[in-house]
Amino acid sequence: VQLQASGGGLVHTGGSLRLSCAASGSIRSINDMEWYRRPPGEERELVAGITSGGATTYADSVKGRFTISRDNAKNTVYLQMNALKPEDTAVYYCHGDIITGWGSQYEYRGQGTLVTVSS
């Protein structure tokens, strides 16, 4: 099982990006999925989370600007980021609480995708 994140890049302040993270491999089901980020020189922080039923949570710093969603049929989670600010610059990681095809449950993390917002 692996998570593959994509969609990062360089954008100006006020711009938008859409991150995607697809899970692949022997997957029975996926519970919660989250996006974390690690800004340069700072600790990792939770950005947004979504349950298998679609309930969402957001960090205060991104509420109203970011939207997390998922396509369960594609085992994919998305993060739509609007009104981006320089302080959103970070490596973004997706996490998934995955039950594998052989019945084991693990927290998997994708490789990260860099988002850079220029002022």
Side-chain angles (χ1 to χ4, degrees):
V1 175
Q2 61 178 357
L3 296 177
Q4 182 70 42
S6 61
L10 173 65
V11 64
H12 293 297
T13 297
S16 298
L17 283 173
R18 188 191 194 210
L19 305 183
S20 300
C21 178
S24 61
S26 179
I27 297 170
R28 181 177 297 179
S29 62
I30 303 178
N31 297 321
D32 296 352
M33 301 188 82
E34 296 100 7
W35 286 98
Y36 287 79
R37 67 186 181 188
R38 185 187 296 275
E42 298 183 30
E43 297 294 319
R44 188 186 70 165
E45 61 181 359
L46 176 64
V47 176
I50 186 168
T51 69
S52 58
T56 59
T57 59
Y58 295 94
D60 288 342
S61 59
V62 307
K63 282 181 181 176
R65 300 188 298 122
F66 290 11
T67 302
I68 188 171
S69 62
R70 63 192 286 171
D71 184 332
N72 291 330
K74 296 181 179 180
N75 289 333
T76 299
V77 63
Y78 305 96
L79 187 68
Q80 177 66 45
M81 305 186 294
N82 299 327
L84 283 161
K85 306 174 181 180
E87 52 264 43
D88 294 318
T89 294
V91 177
Y92 285 71
Y93 300 90
C94 59
H95 286 232
D97 179 18
I98 297 175
I99 299 176
T100 67
W102 54 90
S104 299
Q105 183 171 357
Y106 297 105
E107 179 82 8
Y108 288 89
R109 187 180 84 167
Q111 86 286 4
T113 185
L114 177 62
V115 172
T116 303
V117 184
S118 63
S119 58

